[in-house]
Structure formats: structure tokens, C-alpha cells
Amino acid sequence: MAALAYNLGKREINHYFSVRSAKALALLAVLLLAACHLASRRYRGNDSCEYLLSSGRFLGEKVWQPHSCMMHKYKISEAKNCLVDKHIAFIGDSRIRQLFYSFVKIINPQFKEEGNKHENIPFEDKIASVKVDFLWHPEVNGSMKQCIKVWTEDSVAKPHVIVAGAATWSIKIHNGSNEALSQYKMNITSIAPLLEKLAKTSDVYWVLQDPVYEDLLSENRKMITNEKIDAYNEAAVSILNSSTRNSKSNIKVFSVSKLIAQETIMESLDGLHLPESSRETSAMILMNVYCNKILKPVDGSCCQPQPPLTLIQKLAACFFTLSIIGYLIFYIIHRNAHRKNKPCTDLESGEEKKNIVNPPVSPLEILLQSFCKLGLIMAYFYMCDRANLFMKENKFYTHSTFFIPIIYILVLGVFYNENTKETKVLNREQTDEWKGWMQLVILIYHISGASTFLPVYMHIRVLVAAYLFQTGYGHFSYFWIKGDFGIHRVCQVLFRLNFLVVVLCIVMDRPYQFYYFVPLVTVWFMVIYVTLALWPQIIQKKANGNCLWHFGLLLKLAFLLLCICFLAYSQGAFEKIFSLWPLSKCFELKGNVYEWWFRWRLDRYVVFHGMLFAFVYLALQKRQILSEGKGEPLFSSRISNFLLFISVVSFLTYSIWASSCKNKAECNELHPSVSVVQILAFILIRNIPGYARSVYSSFFAWFGKISLELFICQYHIWLAADTRGILVLIPGNPMLNIIVSTFIFVCVAHEISQITNDLAQIIIPKDNSSLLKRLACIAAFFCGLLILSSIQDKSRH
């Protein structure tokens, strides 16, 4: 009864809400969100620096998240590179001195806070040619004015960055009197024009006063109240913002430290000075404001202008625009022709004439329609991760953000289960299910930032290895059973694997190796193909006639393993092979192939393990050693129970080892050899019991069919800043944002999967002569792409 109700309910849902209607809803959501963000940008301004300097929130105890953009954590080398030949000046009281120390420690962590606190403090890194000075001027008075006035003279070298601020000393010395506030206003009014003049050539920041924790203040500081601080801040903002009559002030008000202090001032030792972590955050914000536009870090979207379109991107935009126009023209012509062919009523007989059969859809129409849809989807990709339209945020890992979604999808996966069409080991439904749940776990891993938690990282490494295991198993099985080594099969696989990535490399201006998993599976597919296609070609049909062929195949696999071991332990030879042109254009990242060598080496044996498993399994299946009937255990009861016990123990042993990892480098070194243990354990646990082989999760299997698209699309339309951050479509509501962005992301991935399948049928025809012509056109396209890429690289340098 429950099963009947479930099936009826599912049919009812499918009747009213199909994949097509979901995509229409996703399109509507994108248009509405784009319009809202565009209107918000026009109303509130498009300067993310203002957001960085004025708003944000804490994601955790010490992780600051600016509103709408991502903040980069600068390393020593990056800071020095940005500030080379630069002079930065901090002017103010003890709070500004704290900010000075935290800023300098980004450049030189060994710099000590020592010496007379009430005097100027210089810092210079002669190697990096960086100079940072603190000038002691605790009050906004004539002394501070004179210091600033000197810099306005043409003959004097001006600092590149000036950070100023003061008020608490004025409150303290004058006992919080109203006369002191009036004098403060007069003094800052006289200084404002000088700062405005400096701001034309230098970056000038006025730091507002942070709140105090009144309960901790000493008796001689009790007059410094938050009410007084607010009054001084209001005066400073009002005067500085009105320092120019007809235009916006160039002086940047640094008010974000107030928000930081409101959350952390309780940790202060004296109620006045901020704890070290808060000062470090403010210093890092200053570094982002100045350096992001210079170094352009991927995960530092604050204060970064939109990157200019490259020549290849412009050509791609023209191509997609022409495709959209072409399809619209084709559609209008086709619609008019369809109207003319509509059945009409015979006036004499009163009967309707027979319908004229619609002609089949032409390949040209499918081609134009596919590129039209792809063009619109690529526009969304660009808006999400290149244009400054949608917002981005940094990731922040907590155990709940990873494990709660995992539990949720597992419940859904178990709920949506169906009977398999066949009960063989690793049947199609089961492999789709396997890919599906693994992909969902990997997606949650990426968006939650769980890579910082080593036990989770090690388990995710096994899931990536399992994908490659399936690559070895699936392609070996196909070639071994069917013996189809034709060029059509190879081109079909290569097209389906690489089409989306090639388009993204063009549209998003990223190297091929950036999407590392696709190069990985592509190279391993070619390795499998070459291993089996080279003489002597050994397939199952030939091996069944003579058992010696099995031995010959094992020799081939042994030689492949030998080659893998050689390349794994000979980095020089590996780099020489993949540094050859044009391979270097595909596998280089940041000017070298180290990243590619690291990725390949991390899972170097697992494809071989997949091939070997396929060979052993198919050999046992051919000799009818396995029982693959519905509901039957794979082996006899005794052997099945024994293998199940061994598998469970092995599975748990690996998990215990992975969870106890302390050093990522050491665990990565062992991973290639031991990851197969958990993979094989899972396969046996999933396939030995007959009832487990007879059912599968249709929920996971649905995602498994689009797993490749999900993996690639997440880079730009679910995550942000090339996976470093999170895309924010709906600010202020993280849960709703994840729901909406995930819904659009999944719809887009599904549509791209269909587009890829449609184009594969047209671009890769079965007729060899036609296929060779298409391949010649594809080769010409890539040659043109290489030439344009070389021109771009020269213009950049």
C-alpha cells in the first residue's frame, strides 16, 4: 500500500513539475535576480571597496566576511610584492599605532612592539624596498595639520598610502567636554582640504574611532564613553564627506573597524585597545583595499575591477550572438511555414483535411538551437564569475555545514529507490548511483570548505579515485567485450568529456589544466585505448579461443604498470613529455606542469586497478563462477559471508587510518597505494548480497548521469572566484541562497548534458569520411585557437 501511494505521489509530482518546467523556473529566477542585482548596483553603487571599508560580519570567531565580496589573506611574499617601492604612513594615537604594528607584521611577522610608545616608529624592508612609518599625533590639532601640510608641497615626496585617525586623547584630556568636540570639528575642518589634496595622488584613509568596553576602562579613562565616540565619529564623517563641494570626497572613511570592535572589544585587556585578532583583521582589510587591484588575487574580489574581455572572449561573444540571431531567424521562418501547412476545414464536406506530417528536425536547426541555448548559459557563467554583478563570499568550514547536508541527501537517496533492470555487478544503474552520491558529497565538500579538515579530505580523495577506477573499469570492459577500436568511439568519448571544458576555457579565459579532472580522465582514456588497441589487439572473443591471450593481456597491463611507476618517480621525464608544445598549452598552469604532475601522481594506480578488476570480474563471469541472479548472493553463503566480513573490516580500517592522518603530504604519499582497499571493499559490500544488487537509488542515479557537468559547472555558477568562494544570489539569507543557487546550478548542468549529447550526434557522425572532414575542421579550429592564444599572451606580457 505504501509503495502504491509512493508511486502515485511521484507520478502526480512529475505530472505538474517536469524537468522542462524546472528549467523554465530557473530561467525566470536568473532574469529576476539579475535585474534585482543590477538595480541594486545602480542604486547603492558598484564599488566593492566601499563595502569592504564599511560593512561585513564574522563567519566564525576570527573570520571576517565583507559584504558582497571576498577578502584575500595576504602572505608575506605577496605583501612585499604589492608594496615594493611604496611608502605607507600611519598618523594618530595608540589605536592607530596598534593598526601600524599589525600591518607591518603582514610584511615581517618578526617585527616586535617595543620602544617608546609615544613617539614616531619607523619600519623599512630594504630588500623589498618597503617603508612604513608611524607618526605619533594623538590629537587632531595643529601638530597633525603641520605634518600633513608638509606632504602637500610639490617638492616633498608623498606617501603612497596615508592612514590617519584620532579622538580618544581629545576626549580624555578635556574630560569629554563639549568645547573639546567643537575644537575637534574646527581642527578636522582645517585638515580636510589638505587630506583631499593628498587624496588626488595618494590613498588616504580616515579611521573612525572604535567603541570602548566601558566596564574595563581605568579611572583616568572613564570619560571616554561610546556616546562621546559616536559624536566624534559623526563629526568626522560629516566634515570629510563635505570636503569637496561638487563631487564625492576622495578621502576613504575606514568605518569597518567599528563593526569588528563591536564583536571583539569584550576581549580587550583595558577596554580601550582591541585584541590582536581584531587588529589583524583591520590590517588585512587595508592590505586588500590597496593590493587587490594590483595583484588581482582570485579569492580577493573586493576592490577588483571587472577584467577586460580578451580577443578570444570577444570572438566567442560574437559567435554566440550570431547563433542566437540565426536560430531566431530559422525559428520564425519555420513557424510561418508551419502555419501555412496547418489543416483547414473543407467548406463543402465540413470535414477537416488530414494533417500534413511535420518534417523531421534538421541538423542545422539542432545545431543553431544548441548553440543558442549554450550562448545564454555561458552569459550566465560570465555574469556569475567574471562580471561584478552577483556577490561572492568566502567559505567557512564547520562540521555541521558538511555533515548535516550529507545526512539529508542520504535520506533522500534511500527514499527514492527502485529495482534494477539487471543484477550484474556494477550494472549501469548502480554505477550511475555510485557516481551520483559521490558527486553530491564532493559538491558539499567544496561548498563547505571541508578541505581544511584532513579526515574529510582523505575520504574525498577516495571518491575522486573511485571515479577514475570507474574510468578504468568502464572503458576496459567496453574495449574487451566489443573490440571496437574505431575512431568514431574515440571521438565520441573525447567530445563528451571535453566539449564543456573547451567552451569554458574560451568564455572564462582559463587554461585547460584549470579543470584538472577532465584532463585527468581524458589522458587515462587515451592510455587505456592505446594499451588495448596496440598490437597485438587482445579482446575477449580472441582470448576465449586460446587462454594464452589472457597471459598476453596481463603482460600488457604489467608493462603499463611499469610505465606508470617510471613516470611517478621520474618527475623530470614526466615534465619533459608534457612541456612539449602543443601539450604544454593544455597541461601548464602558472607557467609549469607541476600541478598536472601532482594531480596525475595522486591517483596514478587506481585506473590500472579498475582495468585489472574488470579483467578479473569478466573472466570469473565468463566461467560462470559468479551467481548474478536476482536476490542471489554473488558467491556461496560461506564465501559471501567471509568476503563481506573482510570488506567491512577493510572499509572501516581505511576510514580509521584516514581519520587519524596528521600530515597531508605523508597521507597523500600513501593514498595511491591504499585507496583501492576502500573502493574494492565498497564494491563487494554493495554487490555480494543479492538484494543489494537488485535495487538502486533513482535519486542518486539521476545526478550520476550528469555528474561530469555538475563537477565542471560548480567552478563558476555554484561556487565563485574559480571555486575559492561561494556565489551569493540572495544576500543576507545563506540558506535560501544555497537553495536557489543549487536549483539553478542543477538545471544548467542538466541542460548542458543534453546540449552535449545533441551536438555529439551532429559533430561526430558515424560515417568515417564525414567524420574525417569534421576532424579536419576541429583541428583547424584548435590551430586558430592556439594562434589567438599566443597573440593574447604576447599582448599581456
Side-chain angles (χ1 to χ4, degrees):
M1 195 70 183
L4 179 62
Y6 161 73
N7 288 323
L8 287 172
K10 191 164 70 170
R11 285 178 192 171
E12 193 73 13
I13 291 168
N14 291 339
H15 177 73
Y16 289 104
F17 194 76
S18 61
V19 172
R20 189 172 181 178
S21 60
K23 290 175 183 175
L25 186 61
L27 176 61
L28 180 64
V30 168
L31 294 174
L32 286 173
L33 288 166
C36 290
H37 279 267
L38 194 61
S40 175
R41 295 279 180 183
R42 285 185 177 277
Y43 176 72
R44 299 181 63 181
N46 198 31
D47 187 4
S48 59
C49 273
E50 288 190 10
Y51 295 133
L52 179 60
L53 290 169
S54 62
S55 58
R57 69 186 193 277
F58 275 104
L59 295 178
E61 290 184 6
K62 298 179 182 179
V63 180
W64 182 254
Q65 173 57 60
H67 176 70
S68 86
C69 61
M70 293 169 61
M71 196 168 81
H72 178 67
K73 189 171 182 180
Y74 277 89
K75 299 174 183 175
I76 299 169
S77 57
E78 292 173 323
K80 288 181 177 180
N81 188 27
C82 166
L83 300 175
V84 64
D85 296 326
K86 297 292 187 295
H87 178 204
I88 298 94
F90 289 79
I91 316 167
D93 55 16
S94 57
R95 286 174 155 188
I96 297 295
R97 184 181 65 237
Q98 281 190 311
L99 187 58
F100 158 79
Y101 277 125
S102 295
F103 188 87
V104 168
K105 284 179 180 179
I106 298 174
I107 305 164
N108 180 9
Q110 281 74 45
F111 189 71
K112 294 179 180 179
E113 301 183 23
E114 56 187 14
N116 192 341
K117 293 182 178 180
H118 294 171
E119 63 181 21
N120 298 343
I121 304 170
F123 167 81
E124 187 173 7
D125 189 320
K126 292 183 179 179
I127 297 172
S129 189
V130 180
K131 187 179 180 184
V132 187
D133 288 324
F134 169 70
L135 306 176
W136 173 252
H137 292 282
E139 287 191 87
V140 180
N141 54 18
S143 174
M144 179 183 281
K145 181 181 177 180
Q146 185 59 36
C147 175
I148 294 169
K149 190 176 181 180
V150 170
W151 289 328
T152 61
E153 296 173 6
D154 294 334
S155 59
V156 177
K158 301 168 182 62
H160 298 88
V161 181
I162 299 167
V163 182
T168 54
W169 269 66
S170 298
I171 300 171
K172 177 184 172 182
I173 292 171
H174 301 285
N175 203 29
S177 66
N178 291 329
E179 290 78 10
L181 177 59
S182 299
Q183 186 63 46
Y184 180 83
K185 289 177 180 178
M186 290 173 60
N187 291 339
I188 204 166
T189 301
S190 65
I191 287 174
L194 301 175
L195 291 174
E196 191 64 46
K197 187 177 180 180
L198 283 171
K200 292 177 181 178
T201 55
S202 305
D203 284 5
V204 178
Y205 304 95
W206 185 266
V207 182
L208 295 186
Q209 293 302 298
D210 303 327
V212 295
Y213 191 44
E214 296 179 18
D215 294 346
L216 280 178
L217 290 173
S218 59
E219 285 301 320
N220 64 338
R221 289 173 176 168
K222 285 292 182 182
M223 69 292 294
I224 306 174
T225 64
N226 288 321
E227 185 181 351
K228 291 290 181 184
I229 284 174
D230 289 341
Y232 276 72
N233 283 337
E234 285 173 16
V237 170
S238 175
I239 293 165
L240 293 172
N241 284 341
S242 59
S243 59
T244 54
R245 292 182 180 179
N246 301 321
S247 61
K248 187 179 177 182
S249 174
N250 291 315
I251 304 167
K252 300 178 179 70
V253 177
F254 193 86
S255 59
V256 70
S257 60
K258 281 174 55 186
L259 297 177
I260 296 168
Q262 284 170 8
E263 300 289 334
T264 59
I265 192 65
M266 291 77 74
E267 300 170 22
S268 171
L269 297 176
D270 59 8
L272 178 68
H273 298 100
L274 293 177
E276 191 171 354
S277 61
S278 303
R279 291 185 279 142
E280 288 171 355
T281 301
S282 295
M284 195 59 72
I285 289 171
L286 274 176
M287 191 68 75
N288 273 259
V289 172
Y290 187 75
C291 291
N292 282 3
K293 57 183 176 286
I294 298 171
L295 298 185
K296 297 180 174 63
V298 174
D299 60 342
S301 63
C302 299
C303 300
Q304 273 204 53
Q306 184 175 325
L309 287 170
T310 64
L311 175 61
I312 293 174
Q313 285 175 316
K314 290 175 182 175
L315 291 172
C318 291
F319 171 78
F320 284 124
T321 304
L322 290 172
S323 297
I324 292 168
I325 294 168
Y327 176 69
L328 290 174
I329 294 169
F330 198 99
Y331 177 77
I332 292 166
I333 294 169
H334 181 78
R335 191 176 180 185
N336 290 335
H338 181 71
R339 279 180 179 175
K340 290 177 183 178
N341 293 331
K342 264 190 174 182
C344 57
T345 305
D346 192 325
L347 295 175
E348 292 181 8
S349 62
E351 293 179 358
E352 198 177 72
K353 292 181 179 179
K354 289 183 178 178
N355 287 334
I356 297 169
V357 178
N358 289 328
V361 181
S362 66
L364 178 61
E365 184 178 356
I366 295 172
L367 199 67
L368 287 172
Q369 186 186 50
S370 297
F371 281 122
C372 174
K373 290 191 285 187
L374 189 64
L376 295 172
I377 289 169
M378 288 301 115
Y380 178 62
F381 270 77
Y382 190 86
M383 283 194 301
C384 287
D385 211 18
R386 289 296 174 270
N388 291 328
L389 179 61
F390 297 124
M391 301 176 180
K392 302 176 179 71
E393 286 190 354
N394 295 86
K395 298 176 186 177
F396 177 68
Y397 174 74
T398 62
H399 292 321
S400 60
T401 58
F402 177 73
F403 290 105
I404 290 175
I406 294 289
I407 294 167
Y408 181 69
I409 63 160
L410 285 176
V411 170
L412 282 175
V414 171
F415 181 74
Y416 287 95
N417 64 80
E418 295 179 11
N419 293 325
T420 56
K421 293 177 182 176
E422 56 180 351
T423 55
K424 292 181 180 178
V425 172
L426 292 180
N427 56 67
R428 184 56 183 267
E429 289 101 337
Q430 191 185 124
T431 52
D432 282 341
E433 173 202 87
W434 193 7
K435 288 177 184 176
W437 71 257
M438 287 196 302
Q439 185 57 62
L440 291 175
V441 172
I442 290 171
L443 289 174
I444 294 167
Y445 164 81
H446 281 150
I447 202 165
S448 64
S451 58
T452 56
F453 187 46
L454 192 53
V456 172
Y457 166 82
M458 290 308 301
H459 282 88
I460 295 297
R461 288 299 339 150
V462 176
L463 300 190
V464 176
Y467 265 100
L468 294 170
F469 182 93
Q470 285 194 51
T471 297
Y473 171 83
H475 291 307
F476 178 92
S477 299
Y478 179 87
F479 290 128
W480 175 249
I481 294 168
K482 299 203 172 184
D484 177 11
F485 296 101
I487 191 170
H488 177 262
R489 166 70 182 177
V490 175
C491 291
Q492 277 275 338
V493 172
L494 292 179
F495 182 86
R496 289 175 190 276
L497 287 175
N498 291 277
F499 172 71
L500 175 58
V501 164
V502 170
V503 173
L504 286 177
C505 288
I506 294 168
V507 173
M508 306 303 289
D509 190 30
R510 283 293 173 264
Y512 179 64
Q513 181 54 35
F514 175 74
Y515 306 94
Y516 74 94
F517 187 73
V518 171
L520 206 55
V521 291
T522 300
V523 167
W524 278 117
F525 167 72
M526 291 307 300
V527 167
I528 296 164
Y529 176 78
V530 169
T531 302
L532 298 177
L534 284 179
W535 184 90
Q537 283 186 7
I538 305 170
I539 59 174
Q540 191 179 56
K541 191 175 180 181
K542 184 187 284 188
N544 289 338
N546 189 339
C547 288
L548 287 175
W549 287 118
H550 286 96
F551 180 70
L553 182 64
L554 288 172
L555 284 177
K556 272 190 169 187
L557 292 177
F559 180 72
L560 172 62
L561 181 61
L562 191 66
C563 292
I564 292 168
C565 291
F566 171 74
L567 290 174
Y569 293 100
S570 178
Q571 185 179 349
F574 185 95
E575 291 184 350
K576 281 181 182 177
I577 293 169
F578 288 98
S579 294
L580 295 171
W581 193 91
L583 284 178
S584 60
K585 296 295 290 183
C586 294
F587 297 101
E588 278 188 357
L589 197 64
K590 298 177 182 177
N592 59 67
V593 296
Y594 174 79
E595 180 72 14
W596 166 234
W597 180 76
F598 172 77
R599 294 287 185 185
W600 176 85
R601 193 172 181 270
L602 202 54
D603 294 300
R604 57 188 178 271
Y605 299 129
V606 75
V607 174
F608 169 80
H609 291 146
M611 295 170 70
L612 189 61
F613 176 82
F615 173 73
V616 172
Y617 162 66
L618 293 171
L620 294 174
Q621 188 187 59
K622 193 69 182 175
R623 283 158 180 73
Q624 298 182 344
I625 295 172
L626 306 176
S627 302
E628 294 183 300
K630 189 171 183 178
E632 295 179 4
L634 202 59
F635 303 97
S636 65
S637 296
R638 184 175 292 180
I639 294 173
S640 294
N641 291 335
F642 174 73
L643 288 176
L644 266 177
F645 175 76
I646 294 296
S647 300
V648 170
V649 170
S650 301
F651 191 94
L652 294 175
T653 301
Y654 180 89
S655 288
I656 292 167
W657 170 77
S659 300
S660 62
C661 273
K662 301 298 181 188
N663 185 292
K664 184 183 279 191
E666 291 176 4
C667 292
N668 278 341
E669 196 63 36
L670 288 171
H671 167 78
S673 304
V674 299
S675 61
V676 70
V677 172
Q678 197 163 44
I679 293 169
L680 290 176
F682 171 79
I683 292 171
L684 291 175
I685 293 167
R686 183 69 180 82
N687 286 276
I688 286 176
Y691 59 84
R693 266 197 337 273
S694 303
V695 294
Y696 77 105
S697 170
S698 55
F699 175 79
F700 289 142
W702 189 89
F703 285 99
K705 289 172 184 174
I706 58 169
S707 59
L708 183 66
E709 287 77 16
L710 287 170
F711 189 87
I712 299 165
C713 290
Q714 67 166 327
Y715 278 68
H716 304 295
I717 62 169
W718 198 50
L719 304 173
D722 298 338
T723 74
R724 306 291 179 86
I726 299 170
L727 178 67
V728 179
L729 300 177
I730 302 175
N733 195 326
M735 183 60 70
L736 184 60
N737 176 66
I738 287 291
I739 291 169
V740 174
S741 64
T742 302
F743 175 69
I744 297 169
F745 159 59
V746 172
C747 289
V748 168
H750 189 273
E751 186 61 35
I752 289 175
S753 177
Q754 289 188 333
I755 290 169
T756 305
N757 290 333
D758 291 341
L759 290 175
Q761 302 303 318
I762 298 168
I763 296 174
I764 313 294
K766 291 184 179 179
D767 179 58
N768 279 341
S769 60
S770 301
L771 178 57
L772 289 173
K773 291 175 185 176
R774 302 280 168 83
L775 289 177
C777 293
I778 292 169
F781 167 77
F782 279 110
C783 286
L785 202 60
L786 283 171
I787 292 167
L788 290 172
S789 178
S790 299
I791 294 169
Q792 271 186 193
D793 290 342
K794 285 180 182 178
S795 65
R796 281 172 178 169
H797 293 314

